[in-house]
Amino acid sequence: TEGDSILRGTLFDRLKASVFLTSGNGLVEFQGGQTTVMKTEDTVGWPAGRDVETYQRYLYILSTDGKIYKYERLSNRYGPSVQYNVNGDLSNAIDMSIDQSVYILKEGGAVVKLFRGEVQPFVIHGAPDGVMKGVTHMVKPLGGHLYFLDPTKKRVVVVADNSPSGDVSYVRQYVLEGEQVGTLQDLYVDPDEAHLYVLDEQRLHVIDIKK
């Protein structure tokens, strides 16, 4: 909407539409070259959010009040919200990713894993000391690893969550080197985990990876 800026975006695979959360507490879909301001049946409208993700026909918003709100995508709007998280401390949450389970990244590198709203064990085995301390963003391709961005160390930390066993293990890290590497802003991994994309203020860095 006019005067708003884009906070975060995601792809609604079922609709092949990009979904964006705006600074004015709005939601915008971009599909077929057209932008549509989307409504929800919630009378209070959309909450202020830190991140937005989609999974199947549902939209999830990580709100600034430490909750996750879940919305069903209807024909031309979204249904009323349902609070997804049953328990778990989501204060200081900064990012979210979904692949059956919902993963919440908190300031300082702690990760809260939720399944059907309930907290699940998430302890990374075999990781170097303090490897998660500086991470600020994360992504998880469906069925793939978790990738965490650490701007301070100019690296991406890779973790495997071998659900349903619950065994979470450190895999590797990718370090970006060279004078051309600026302050890292965000990251993306393509669905088949062939390429890792890392964005700084001026450049997009592409890394060939293998799962």
Side-chain angles (χ1 to χ4, degrees), residues 33-48:
Q34 290 188 325
T35 300
T36 306
V37 178
M38 300 301 295
K39 303 293 184 182
T40 171
E41 293 180 354
D42 263 351
T43 57
V44 296
W46 299 105

Side-chain angles (χ1 to χ4, degrees), residues 21-60:
L21 193 64
T22 73
S23 58
N25 300 349
L27 190 85
V28 176
E29 282 188 2
F30 182 78
Q31 184 179 23
Q34 290 188 325
T35 300
T36 306
V37 178
M38 300 301 295
K39 303 293 184 182
T40 171
E41 293 180 354
D42 263 351
T43 57
V44 296
W46 299 105
R50 299 188 185 279
D51 194 15
V52 57
E53 295 289 339
T54 59
Y55 186 72
Q56 297 180 343
R57 68 179 187 275
Y58 296 100
L59 177 88
Y60 298 76

Side-chain angles (χ1 to χ4, degrees), residues 63-194:
S63 72
T64 56
D65 63 1
K67 297 181 177 65
I68 299 172
Y69 294 102
K70 178 180 177 181
Y71 303 81
E72 183 177 7
R73 178 57 160 84
L74 306 176
S75 60
N76 60 355
R77 66 194 187 283
Y78 289 85
S81 68
V82 176
Q83 184 177 328
Y84 174 79
N85 53 307
V86 177
N87 56 11
D89 179 10
L90 303 188
S91 59
N92 301 318
I94 55 177
D95 207 357
M96 173 174 63
S97 191
I98 302 176
D99 180 4
Q100 296 185 359
S101 298
V102 176
Y103 301 85
I104 304 298
L105 176 64
K106 302 178 63 173
E107 292 179 3
V111 176
V112 179
K113 177 183 176 181
L114 303 171
F115 182 70
R116 295 179 179 175
E118 298 276 359
V119 173
Q120 305 296 308
F122 191 92
V123 178
I124 302 174
H125 300 286
D129 290 342
V131 72
M132 295 289 289
K133 184 177 180 180
V135 300
T136 59
H137 294 80
M138 68 176 175
V139 294
K140 189 181 190 301
L142 294 178
H145 292 335
L146 282 154
Y147 295 78
F148 297 91
L149 182 69
D150 183 347
T152 303
K153 299 291 181 64
K154 295 186 178 182
R155 65 184 176 183
V156 175
V157 178
V158 186
V159 171
D161 184 3
N162 301 308
S163 298
S165 68
D167 180 27
V168 183
S169 57
Y170 169 82
V171 177
R172 66 177 67 92
Q173 57 184 281
Y174 297 95
V175 180
L176 284 77
E177 299 178 329
E179 295 180 357
Q180 290 187 334
V181 180
T183 302
L184 306 184
Q185 307 288 324
D186 211 339
L187 79 167
Y188 173 78
V189 179
D190 51 24
D192 59 0
E193 292 186 270

